[in-house]
């Protein structure tokens, strides 16, 4: 029996673990949270921070040469490419190079490399101080995006407009950077697309292409909050092809030639431009639920096989069909939760595939500042994209998470 090491044991790791065990693999899960949801599904559990690459590599080497060989390492919907790369290199396993792990962990280094490779990206620059930020705004004008160089989940990402206090914005964004570094970049107008590519030596396919829903952009400003997405995309066939091509080219520019890559792309009036590329399976239930339901492509199974060094036929990565899929999130008012109503009827609603709410009575719901603070989600299917979206939004209206001031 081969062993797969999954770095990350969050709730989205569970379908990855289940898929790996269905493939007759022994699954070791590593996570710094001793109560990680994936722990009870794993065959072995290592209580190690997913960001502590050296401790992870040390434990992996001890297991590998201590009688329990590891045959593949993969991030389970966790943004830890450098940890995966260091473990893979230490064990001489398939995986991203350490350089690729660094590039996909550091947004400024990533943008620099993409610019060098001729990939279309927004204008960007390091922001060294508050005075530097003010000077940049005088030179470039509004709107701009301020973000930590090395954070995740949209933490600390702000859209700067005339009514944003720059002193607060600089301090706030910097507070989310482990290294204390922030950058500023051009705000791109246009449809935002999430992509999921499969790269295998001589070929690349992008079965995942999802329109991201930013209808709440103004409601939560200056924080940039996504409220789910849907597929198939509303793009023309030409724009769809252009988005997929630039996502695959960007992945190659970062050294990703074998594995999966998640892209954030904006389709501007000048064509698609890359916001960032992640060397991993995507989160937000995109790789584990949305893409398989919409296209029939086994994203998780393919990622596992690539991590084990197996060959993948190109047609396995190509969509077999295009069904309507939508995901929407629950954003209750901040305060103390008094309970949830409407769940029973919502679960029985047409097209509901998965409905999860992670809030219970008595929980404190914070003011929303990033994607990770969503209270739950619903995934729906439909004969068309529009039908799936209508069903998801109907469920959001049906479920009421009541709150009072804490």
């Amino acid at each position: 029996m081969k062993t797969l090491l999954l770095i990350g044991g969050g709730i989205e790791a569970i379908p990855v673990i289940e898929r790996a065990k269905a493939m007759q693999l022994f699954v070791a899960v590593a996570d710094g949270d001793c109560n990680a949801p994936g722990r009870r599904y794993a065959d072995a559990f290592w209580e190690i921070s997913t960001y502590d690459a050296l401790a992870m590599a040390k434990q992996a080497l001890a297991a590998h040469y201590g009688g329990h060989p590891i045959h593949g390492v993969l991030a389970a919907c966790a943004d830890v490419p450098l940890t995966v790369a260091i473990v893979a290199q230490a064990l001489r396993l398939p995986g991203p190079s350490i350089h690729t792990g660094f590039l996909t962990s550091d947004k400024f280094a990533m943008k620099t490399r993409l610019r060098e490779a001729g990939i279309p990206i927004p204008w960007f620059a390091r922001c060294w101080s508050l005075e530097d930020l003010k000077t940049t705004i005088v030179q470039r004008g509004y709107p701009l995006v301020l973000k930590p160089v090395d954070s995740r989940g949209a933490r600390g990402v702000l859209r700067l407009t005339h009514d944003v206090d720059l002193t607060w914005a600089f301090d706030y964004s910097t507070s989310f950077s482990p290294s204390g570094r922030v950058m500023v970049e051009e705000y791109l107008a246009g449809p935002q697309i999430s992509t999921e590519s499969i790269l295998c030596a001589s070929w690349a396919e992008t079965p995942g292409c999802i329109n991201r829903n930013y209808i709440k952009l103004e409601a939560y400003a200056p924080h940039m909050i996504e409220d789910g997405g849907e597929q198939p995309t509303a793009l023309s066939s030409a724009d769809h092809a252009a988005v997929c091509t630039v996502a695959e080219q960007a992945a190659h520019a970062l050294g990703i030639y074998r594995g999966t890559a998640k892209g954030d792309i904006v389709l501007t009036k000048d064509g698609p431009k890359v916001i960032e590329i992640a060397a991993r399976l995507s989160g937000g239930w995109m790789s584990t639920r949305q893409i398989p339901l919409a296209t029939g492509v086994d994203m998780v199974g393919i990622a596992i096989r690539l991590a084990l060094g197996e060959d993948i036929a190109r047609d396995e990565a190509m969509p077999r069909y295009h069904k309507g899929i939508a995901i929407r999130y629950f954003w209750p008012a901040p305060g103390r939760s008094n309970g949830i109503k409407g769940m029973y009827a919502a679960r029985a609603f047409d097209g509901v595939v998965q409905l999860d709410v992670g809030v219970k009575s008595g929980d404190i719901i914070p003011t929303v500042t990033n994607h990770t603070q969503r209270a739950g989600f619903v995934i729906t299917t439909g004969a068309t994209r529009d039908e799936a979206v209508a069903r998801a939004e109907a469920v959001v209206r049906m479920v009421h998470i009541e709150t009072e001031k804490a």
Side-chain angles (χ1 to χ4, degrees):
M1 181 179 287
K2 290 184 176 181
T3 293
L4 178 71
L5 171 60
L6 283 182
I7 299 179
I11 189 71
E12 290 189 66
I14 294 173
V16 182
I17 298 167
E18 292 175 333
R19 183 70 185 92
K21 295 183 80 169
M23 297 166 69
Q24 304 301 309
L25 299 175
F26 183 95
V27 183
V29 172
D31 198 291
D33 180 4
C34 65
N35 297 312
R39 179 171 188 165
R40 66 190 182 96
Y41 293 83
D43 296 304
F45 183 80
W46 302 350
E47 190 178 339
I48 303 172
S49 169
T50 56
Y51 303 111
D52 193 340
L54 296 182
M56 194 76 70
K58 183 178 179 180
Q59 177 66 30
L61 285 165
H64 190 71
Y65 293 107
H68 201 139
I70 295 170
H71 300 87
V73 57
L74 186 68
C77 305
D79 197 4
V80 288
L82 189 56
T83 302
V84 173
I86 287 174
V87 172
Q89 293 294 307
L91 300 181
R92 295 185 173 87
L93 295 173
S97 69
I98 292 176
H99 184 54
T100 294
F102 164 70
L103 290 176
T104 51
S105 299
D106 186 295
K107 293 177 174 60
F108 185 78
M110 178 191 300
K111 284 285 198 329
T112 301
R113 173 64 193 126
L114 292 176
R115 182 175 59 190
E116 292 170 348
I119 303 299
I121 57 173
W123 172 89
F124 72 100
R126 271 292 308 276
C127 192
W128 301 96
S129 65
L130 174 59
E131 291 307 312
D132 189 26
L133 175 60
K134 291 179 178 179
T135 300
T136 299
I137 288 173
V138 170
Q139 295 172 344
R140 301 286 307 185
Y142 291 107
L144 292 172
V145 176
L146 182 69
K147 62 175 65 174
V149 167
D150 46 2
S151 188
R152 301 160 182 84
R155 297 175 179 89
V157 179
L158 302 171
R159 184 169 62 107
L160 302 181
T161 54
H162 291 88
D163 56 348
V164 175
D165 183 309
L166 296 182
T167 301
W168 167 81
F170 183 82
D171 291 343
Y172 178 83
S173 189
T174 302
S175 72
F176 285 91
S177 169
S179 62
R181 296 177 298 141
V182 295
M183 61 185 286
V184 64
E185 67 183 37
E186 172 189 6
Y187 173 74
L188 298 178
Q192 300 213 23
I193 312 296
S194 284
T195 61
E196 186 105 13
S197 302
I198 298 168
L199 306 112
C200 194
S202 61
W203 57 263
E205 292 288 342
T206 301
C209 198
I210 297 176
N211 277 99
R212 300 172 71 177
N213 175 31
Y214 274 93
I215 197 170
K216 297 182 182 295
L217 186 63
E218 296 300 331
Y220 292 113
H223 308 284
M224 299 184 69
I225 305 300
E226 174 193 345
D227 188 25
E230 56 267 359
Q231 63 184 117
T233 66
L235 305 179
S236 68
S237 57
D239 285 339
H240 181 276
V243 166
C244 294
T245 297
V246 79
E248 294 159 9
Q249 291 173 340
H252 285 153
L254 297 172
I256 308 170
Y257 289 95
R258 183 180 174 86
T260 63
K262 186 256 185 185
D264 292 333
I265 316 289
V266 177
L267 182 60
T268 73
K269 60 182 178 59
D270 300 316
K273 294 188 178 183
V274 177
I275 302 298
E276 62 184 67
I277 299 290
R280 58 177 173 86
L281 284 170
S282 60
W285 305 94
M286 182 173 165
S287 60
T288 53
R289 290 284 187 264
Q290 296 180 67
I291 294 172
L293 286 169
T295 68
V297 175
D298 181 10
M299 283 297 307
V300 172
I302 288 173
I304 291 170
R305 289 166 58 196
L306 288 171
L308 295 172
E310 297 179 11
D311 292 329
I312 305 296
R314 187 168 188 169
D315 61 358
E316 294 181 75
M318 300 173 69
R320 297 202 295 274
Y321 43 75
H322 294 281
K323 296 182 178 179
I325 301 293
I327 183 170
R328 289 294 185 268
Y329 303 128
F330 296 104
W331 305 102
R336 187 186 307 278
S337 171
N338 282 336
I340 305 171
K341 296 180 179 179
M343 287 289 287
Y344 181 81
R347 290 189 190 281
F349 196 73
D350 287 346
V352 172
V353 174
Q354 189 170 352
L355 172 60
D356 287 336
V357 174
V359 173
K360 60 183 182 298
S361 184
D363 285 352
I364 302 297
I365 297 171
T367 299
V368 175
T369 59
N370 62 70
H371 295 164
T372 67
Q373 293 168 322
R374 54 204 178 212
F377 68 93
V378 60
I379 298 175
T380 54
T381 61
T384 64
R385 174 185 62 251
D386 291 344
E387 183 177 53
V389 168
R391 287 172 170 178
E393 293 180 349
V395 169
V396 170
R397 291 191 296 269
M398 293 169 68
V399 175
H400 300 282
I401 303 173
E402 299 179 343
T403 60
E404 63 180 5
K405 288 186 178 180

